[in-house]
């Protein structure tokens, strides 16, 4: 469990985005229950609510809405 990755935006938003949607990329995403744990004007953090296996591959899509 805990932080998996911090995504940094290409630029800084004037305010934190209203929403960040996250979904697994089909059967190839082996991370159990990934969630967005924080959003700022420059980044968002993806965390796992359950511990992935050591060989798990994260394959995710995301959409940011200003």
């Amino acid at each position: 469990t805990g932080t998996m990755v911090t995504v940094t935006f290409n630029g800084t938003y004037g305010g934190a985005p209203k929403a960040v949607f996250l979904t697994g990329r089909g059967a190839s995403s082996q991370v159990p229950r990934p969630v967005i744990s924080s959003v700022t004007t420059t980044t968002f953090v993806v965390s796992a609510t359950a511990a992935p296996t050591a060989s798990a591959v994260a394959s995710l899509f995301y959409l940011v809405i200003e």
Side-chain angles (χ1 to χ4, degrees):
T1 61
T3 299
M4 292 173 32
V5 65
T6 299
V7 177
T8 302
F9 302 131
N10 189 36
T12 301
Y13 288 103
K18 292 182 181 8
V20 178
F21 295 96
L22 181 71
T23 187
R25 187 176 175 199
S28 63
S29 183
Q30 302 168 357
V31 177
R33 298 183 300 278
V35 296
I36 304 296
S37 56
S38 70
V39 180
T40 70
T41 59
T42 57
T43 64
F44 69 88
V45 176
V46 179
S47 297
T49 57
T53 62
S55 62
V57 176
S59 185
L60 306 166
F61 289 115
Y62 66 87
L63 172 69
V64 177
I65 298 178
E66 289 185 68

